[in-house]
Amino acid sequence: MRLPFTLILALLAYDSVFATAAKRDYSTYDYYVLEHNPLADASLADCASALGVEIMERAGELQNHWLVRAEKDISALDKRRADPVMQTLEEIQSRAYSAYSARSPDASHAKRIASAVRYLSPQTLRQRVKRAPPPPVEDSGFPNIAEVSQKMGIADPEFSRQWHIVNEKHPKNMMNVSGLWEMGVTGIGVIAALVDDGLDYTSEDLAPNFYAYGSHDFNDHTDLPTPVLSNDHHGTRCAGQIAAAKNDVCGVGIAYDSKVAGLRILSGPIADVDEAAALNYDFQNTSIYSCSWGPPDDGRSMEGQNYLIRKAMVNGIQHGREGKGSIFVFASGNGGRTDDQCNFDGYTNSIFSVTVAAVDHQGLHPDYSEACAANMVVAYSSGGGNAITTTDRGANKCAHTHGGTSAAAPNVAGVFALLLQVRPDLTWRDVQHLCVKSALKINPDDPDWEKTASGNSFSYKYGYGVVDAYKLVEVARDWQLVKPQAFVEMPAIQVNNGSMDVFQKAEGGISIAPGGVTSAMAVSQAQLDSDNLGKLEHITVKVWITHSRRGDVEVELISPNGVRSILAARRYGDSATTGYPGWTFMTVKHWDENPVGTWTLRVSDQAKEGESGVFLGWTMNLWGSVEDATKPVKIYDVPHVDTVLAPGSTEHTYPSTIISLPAATSTQYAKPTAHLPGDHDTSEGDASKPAFPGSGGKPAGDAQTSATSTPTPDEGWFADLSNLMTNPLWFFIAVGAVLAFGISAGIYFWRRRVRMRQHYTTLPASDDVAMSSIGGGGGGAGGQRTKELYDAFGEVSDDDEGDEETRLHARGPSPGVNLHTGFLDDDPSTAGMTPAPYRDEPDPATERSHEQGHSHERAESPASGSGSGDGSWEHASETR
Ligand SMILES: *[C@@H]1O[C@H](CO)[C@@H](O)[C@H](O)[C@H]1NC(C)=O
Ligand SMILES: *[C@@H]1O[C@H](CO)[C@@H](O)[C@H](O)[C@H]1NC(C)=O
Ligand SMILES: *[C@@H]1O[C@H](CO)[C@@H](O)[C@H](O)[C@H]1NC(C)=O
C-alpha cells in the first residue's frame, strides 16, 4: 500500500514545527479555527488557499483543527462590514449548493472545499473570571499541631495555621490527609496543572515541585507562567494548596511531593483556541486540571462552553492520560449570595468535570458557595471567620486570606493527586464514582439533604458530601474499574409542536401557566438496551423556553421513582429576556437510579403580571456505563449545532458544515461584575436551610408559599392538564390577541434579528453588537470582546505584598487588565467598555422595585436593596 507520503510529511511538519502556540498578533491579523475533514477531497492547504488564510499551527491537541490567520483588512473601518474570510466561505458554500452552477468546474471545486471545511470560527479574545477569594482573617491562633509535624518532619512555619490539613478546633472538618502521608502517600509521580493566572515558580515553596514542561503562558505566549500583573497571585496560591513543598517556607500542600504546572490564561483576554489548548496541555503527563474560574458569578449570567472548549474537554477525557481521561476539577462558583447556581455555568455543569463547592472550617455552608444539581462534592475553604493559608507569590511568602470555592477546588485537586499515586489506573469516571461513594454526609440534619433512589443522600449545597482524603483512598484501594461510558440521547419532545431555529426564533409551545406546565418523557428498557446503557450516572437536560424574565423560570426534573432535581431555581437578579434557547442543565442526583419509566419536566415561573413565557420543548441524555462491555462502544462526539429544536421544521438552519455561529446559548459575554462578598471569610455559615426553599424540593412545606404555587406532587405532574381544563375561555382569547400581536411584532423583530445574526456570522469583530441585539449581553470594545474575569471576592490588598493587614477596602478596576474587582464596574460607563446596551443586565434599582411590586411571596428585607447580594434564599426561607 502506498502511503500518502507528502501528507504524512506535512502533518509531521505541523506537529513538530508548531508544537507550541506562537505569539499572536491580533492587531495585524484575524485568527480563525478551521476544522478540516481529512476524508474530504480537498486538502487542508487547498482549503486555506480557497479561503485566503495562512495555516499557523494545530489548535492545541484537537485533531484536524487548525489555527489559521488572515491579514486584517485595515481599510474596513466600518466594523459591521462582513468578515472577508467568513464571507468567502459563505460564497463558496452558496456556489457549492447552488443548483444553477451544479455542473461547472467552479461549483465542484466549491463543493470539495465546502465539504472539507467542517467548521470555521473567528477567534476573539475573551477574559475568563477568576474565582478568587480573600479578605479579612482574624489571627486564628490555632494551637500547634505538634504530632503531625513531628511524625512527618514538617518544619514549615505556617503549618499550624493550615486547619484544612489538620483542624484542631473542629477535628472533623479537614481534608484528612495526614493518615495517608504516614503511609507514604504524598502525591509522588502525579502532576496537576493550575489553569489560572501566573504561577510563581521562583517561590521557594513551589520551585522544588514546579513542572516546567507542562507549563505555558497562553496570555503572553511564552513558556513559563510568570506572574506579571500585580494581582497575578491566584494561581500561585492554588498551586501551594496542592504542592507546596515540605520545607521551611509557609506551609505544605496536600500532595507535597506531587508536581504542579502553571497554565496562564486568566491574566488577560484569551481566545477559545488557546483556552482549548490549555485544557489539553501536556495531557499525557499532566493528570489533573484545577480550574477555579468561569463565567461571572453575578446571578444573572448564563454561559456555556463554546464548541472548541467542549471539544477540548471531550478530547481530554477521551485521549488524555493515555485514554484514562484528564481529571477536570472546577470550582462551583462564588455567587451564592446573588442566587447564582452552578447549573448556569457550562463548565461546572459539564459531566466531564468534578464540580466542587465549599464548606467552612466548622463544616457549615458559606453563603457565597453556589448550589446546584451538578455539584458533586464540597471541600474546605473560607468562612465562619477563617480562610486558607497557602503559599503566596514571592520568594518566601505566605497568604492567609485565600478562600471561596476557588480554594475548595484545589483542595480536591490535591486529594486527587494522592488518589492517583495509589491508583494511577483510575479513569476520569472512576474518580467521579469514588467521590459519590466516599464523600461524607456533613450536617446530616440539614434539610437540603434528600435521599436518592439508590439510597444515597444528595444536597444541592454539598453534592454527595465533603471529600475526606483518607476515606476516598480507602474506598479506591479495591475499587473495580467501571465499564466504558454509554449514553442514550432521547428524542426531543416538542411541546405543542414547539420549535426553535438557529436564530432563536420560536414557534408553537405552551404558555407557562400559574402552577407550571409539565411534559413527560418515557424511557424504556428497550431504549437503554439499544444504546447498551447499564448503570446511570449523569443526566443532562436541554430545554427550550422563551421568557420575558429568565430569572423567574424554575425548572425541575422528576424521575420515575419520584426523585426531583431542581435544575433552575429562581434568580432574582436575572432579567434577561433570552429565555433558555437550548440550554443544557446537568444533574448528578440520579446516579445509580434505574431510569426506566416516565420522567417529568416541570417548568414554572413566578406568575407575575406582565411576565410570561413559553415552554417549547426539551430533551434528555442519560449517561452511564455500558451494560455489555463486549459490544463496541459508542464514542461521544460534540455536535456543531445542538441548540435547534426540531431542525427539520425550519428552513433557516445552515448545513452543519458552516458554523460561524458559536453555539448560540453559550455566548453571553459578561461585563465586569463582581457580586462577590468581600467578607466571605467571616460570613456566617448555615446548615439548616434548603438551597432552593421555594422550589419544590420540599413538597410538604410548599403549600404555604402562595405565589410560587408549587404544586404538590399529586397535582403537579398534571398541572398543565388541569390548568388547561380550568382556564376560562377569555384566557384563550387573550392569548390569541397576544399571539396575533406577537406574530406581527415577531415578524418584524425576526427580520431584524436575522439580519443582525447574519452580521454575527460573518463579523468576528462585532459580535458584541449582535449579541446585545438578542439580549445576550455582551462585552467588548473594538474587536476584542473581553469576557470579564471577575475577581471573586474583589481581591484585596493582601495580594500585593502578602500584607493582609493593609487591606484595601476601596475596590475598583485593576489597572491594565480586565479583571474586575468592583461592583461599580457594573456600570458600563465606569468600566470603560461595552458600547452596546445590555438588555441582559438589569438595573439594580429598577430591578428591586419591580421585584417589590410583583413579589407576593416574600417580604423584602431592608438589606436586600443593597444590590450586591440580597441573600434571597435566606430571606425567602425566613418568610416561610
Ligand atoms: C481520617 O483519617 C484517619 C486516619 O488518619 C482515619 O482513621 C479516619 O477514619 C478518617 N476519617 C474518616 C471520616 O474516614
Ligand atoms: C511527557 O510525555 C512525553 C510523551 O508523552 C514523554 O516523552 C516525556 O518524557 C514526558 N515528560 C515528563 C517530564 O514526564
Ligand atoms: C403538530 O403538527 C402536526 C403536523 O404538522 C399536526 O398534525 C398536529 O395537529 C400539530 N399539533 C398541534 C398540537 O398543533
Side-chain angles (χ1 to χ4, degrees), residues 211 213 282 284-285:
Y211 176 63
Y213 184 82
D282 187 39
Q284 298 310 338
N285 301 319

Side-chain angles (χ1 to χ4, degrees), residues 107-243:
S108 60
H109 177 254
K111 250 185 207 147
R112 281 201 306 277
I113 300 292
S115 65
V117 178
R118 296 190 59 209
Y119 170 91
L120 182 70
S121 168
Q123 292 299 300
T124 45
L125 297 176
R126 291 181 294 138
Q127 177 92 47
R128 303 293 177 199
V129 182
K130 285 183 217 185
R131 291 201 169 127
V137 131
E138 308 303 305
D139 207 332
S140 56
F142 278 165
N144 71 42
I145 33 183
E147 198 193 337
V148 176
S149 309
Q150 199 203 336
K151 258 195 205 154
M152 304 310 305
I154 292 172
D156 294 68
E158 305 286 349
F159 179 55
S160 59
R161 289 178 74 165
Q162 293 190 296
W163 60 266
H164 65 286
I165 296 178
V166 181
N167 191 344
E168 292 193 333
K169 254 193 206 159
H170 306 281
K172 280 187 178 156
N173 303 131
M174 56 182 183
M175 301 308 297
N176 206 23
V177 296
S178 59
L180 295 173
W181 290 351
E182 286 174 32
M183 296 186 287
V185 180
T186 51
I188 296 164
V190 182
I191 301 167
L194 282 302
V195 187
D196 211 292
D197 58 16
L199 191 160
D200 189 355
Y201 47 85
T202 66
S203 157
E204 289 160 22
D205 221 6
L206 292 175
N209 288 332
F210 178 61
Y211 176 63
Y213 184 82
S215 298
H216 194 77
D217 182 340
F218 287 92
N219 285 127
D220 292 341
H221 293 287
T222 58
D223 284 339
L224 291 175
T226 316
V228 176
L229 309 171
S230 66
N231 59 358
D232 266 11
H233 52 230
H234 187 253
T236 304
R237 294 176 182 183
C238 292
Q241 288 179 268
I242 298 173

Side-chain angles (χ1 to χ4, degrees), residues 315-567:
N315 192 37
I317 59 101
Q318 288 176 350
H319 305 296
R321 233 161 38 94
E322 292 163 346
K324 293 176 304 234
S326 305
I327 313 296
F328 295 106
V329 181
F330 269 88
S332 78
N334 297 330
R337 287 192 196 172
T338 50
D339 328 315
D340 213 347
Q341 299 154 35
C342 37
N343 240 323
F344 288 82
D345 169 338
Y347 295 86
T348 49
N349 81 8
S350 164
I351 70 165
F352 307 114
S353 64
V354 175
T355 298
V356 181
V359 284
D360 70 17
H361 69 123
Q362 308 169 87
L364 300 176
H365 164 76
D367 59 3
Y368 61 77
S369 177
E370 289 182 28
C372 76
N375 256 344
M376 180 154 273
V377 287
V378 284
Y380 291 99
S381 188
S382 59
N386 229 323
I388 299 288
T389 290
T390 179
T391 313
D392 206 354
R393 181 177 163 190
N396 184 346
K397 287 250 155 68
C398 209
H400 301 290
T401 57
H402 193 48
T405 55
S406 247
N411 276 341
V412 169
V415 169
F416 287 167
L418 301 178
L419 174 66
L420 292 179
Q421 178 190 337
V422 177
R423 287 292 305 265
D425 58 327
L426 298 174
T427 72
W428 67 279
R429 281 170 50 249
D430 288 301
V431 171
Q432 295 200 9
H433 272 274
L434 287 166
C435 285
V436 172
K437 295 278 175 322
S438 75
L440 302 179
K441 186 173 180 181
I442 193 169
N443 308 320
D445 296 330
D446 191 316
D448 200 45
W449 285 110
E450 289 175 85
K451 272 263 175 287
T452 69
S454 65
N456 228 320
S457 292
F458 179 82
S459 140
Y460 300 107
K461 295 193 291 196
Y462 312 118
Y464 281 97
V466 67
V467 170
D468 180 287
Y470 190 89
K471 175 98 183 290
L472 178 73
V473 171
E474 199 176 42
V475 175
R477 278 190 199 278
D478 39 34
W479 174 256
Q480 281 217 323
L481 296 182
V482 292
K483 295 188 227 170
Q485 189 180 39
F487 58 98
V488 180
E489 296 174 285
M490 296 296 295
I493 289 189
Q494 295 177 258
V495 177
N496 194 22
N497 284 354
S499 68
M500 183 177 278
D501 68 12
V502 278
F503 304 109
Q504 298 181 8
K505 184 168 91 84
E507 275 170 12
I510 181 170
S511 291
I512 300 171
V517 294
T518 62
S519 169
M521 183 183 288
V523 173
S524 67
Q525 186 61 48
Q527 270 162 319
L528 305 190
D529 292 346
S530 86
D531 284 315
N532 196 16
L533 183 91
K535 290 205 103 180
L536 183 65
E537 293 162 7
H538 316 81
I539 290 181
T540 51
V541 170
K542 185 177 302 180
V543 296
W544 287 267
I545 299 166
T546 61
H547 204 278
S548 56
R549 194 169 193 287
R550 187 171 66 199
D552 283 3
V553 178
E554 298 179 13
V555 181
E556 74 185 34
L557 177 72
I558 302 135
S559 80
N561 304 296
V563 174
R564 289 162 185 255
S565 280
I566 295 173
L567 301 176

Side-chain angles (χ1 to χ4, degrees), residues 651-693:
E651 68 228 58
H652 304 296
T653 47
Y654 280 126
S656 68
T657 51
I658 175 172
I659 306 299
S660 36
L661 295 165
T665 54
S666 43
T667 44
Q668 309 214 339
Y669 298 101
K671 357 178 243 179
T673 34
H675 291 251
L676 284 147
D679 57 343
H680 68 104
D681 58 341
T682 55
S683 74
E684 285 303 310
D686 97 87
S688 57
K689 287 178 284 209
F692 308 122

Side-chain angles (χ1 to χ4, degrees), residues 591-822:
W591 204 275
D592 281 344
E593 180 168 351
N594 178 359
V596 174
T598 299
W599 292 77
T600 305
L601 194 78
R602 192 172 82 89
V603 176
S604 57
D605 64 9
Q606 310 304 317
K608 284 194 297 201
E609 238 174 84
E611 306 289 2
S612 63
V614 174
F615 177 29
L616 302 162
W618 65 296
T619 185
M620 181 163 82
N621 282 7
L622 307 173
W623 306 82
S625 56
V626 299
E627 175 66 29
D628 180 352
T630 63
K631 288 190 184 162
V633 173
K634 186 170 70 165
I635 303 294
Y636 178 70
D637 196 12
V638 180
H640 281 130
V641 172
D642 61 351
T643 54
V644 171
L645 179 59
S649 72
T650 162
E651 68 228 58
H652 304 296
T653 47
Y654 280 126
S656 68
T657 51
I658 175 172
I659 306 299
S660 36
L661 295 165
T665 54
S666 43
T667 44
Q668 309 214 339
Y669 298 101
K671 357 178 243 179
T673 34
H675 291 251
L676 284 147
D679 57 343
H680 68 104
D681 58 341
T682 55
S683 74
E684 285 303 310
D686 97 87
S688 57
K689 287 178 284 209
F692 308 122
S695 294
K698 294 275 164 287
D702 279 337
Q704 315 306 335
T705 59
S706 53
T708 45
S709 56
T710 307
T712 64
D714 310 349
E715 66 178 318
W717 298 20
F718 304 102
D720 53 345
L721 200 59
S722 53
N723 283 326
L724 281 177
M725 316 273 263
T726 55
N727 273 326
L729 184 61
W730 62 260
F731 176 75
F732 289 100
I733 296 172
V735 168
V738 169
L739 274 183
F741 172 76
I743 287 167
S744 44
I747 289 171
Y748 171 72
F749 284 111
W750 171 71
R751 290 189 165 279
R752 270 185 57 177
R753 179 175 299 184
V754 167
R755 249 180 281 133
M756 313 221 48
R757 276 299 198 146
Q758 281 165 347
H759 279 274
Y760 182 68
T761 68
T762 53
L763 255 193
S766 65
D767 46 4
D768 46 347
V769 175
M771 286 316 289
S772 65
S773 77
I774 58 160
Q784 308 194 339
R785 66 183 187 241
T786 41
K787 178 172 187 181
E788 270 306 316
L789 291 208
Y790 86 103
D791 188 349
F793 291 104
E795 294 237 345
V796 283
S797 66
D798 138 53
D799 315 359
D800 290 54
E801 289 311 343
D803 173 13
E804 66 268 47
E805 312 310 328
T806 59
R807 235 161 264 127
L808 294 175
H809 290 287
R811 291 182 275 153
S814 313
V817 257
N818 294 305
L819 289 184
H820 86 98
T821 52

Side-chain angles (χ1 to χ4, degrees), residues 13-24 26 31-34 44 54-62 64-69 216 218 221 273-274 277:
Y14 281 126
D15 269 350
S16 52
V17 176
F18 301 112
T20 53
K23 204 155 181 113
R24 320 266 192 257
Y26 285 91
Y31 290 86
Y32 306 82
V33 167
L34 188 163
L44 177 63
E54 183 186 350
I55 300 160
M56 300 301 297
E57 65 197 31
R58 196 170 79 184
E61 293 288 343
L62 297 174
N64 305 316
H65 290 63
W66 303 91
L67 182 71
V68 301
R69 72 177 185 190
H216 194 77
F218 287 92
H221 293 287
V273 63
D274 288 327

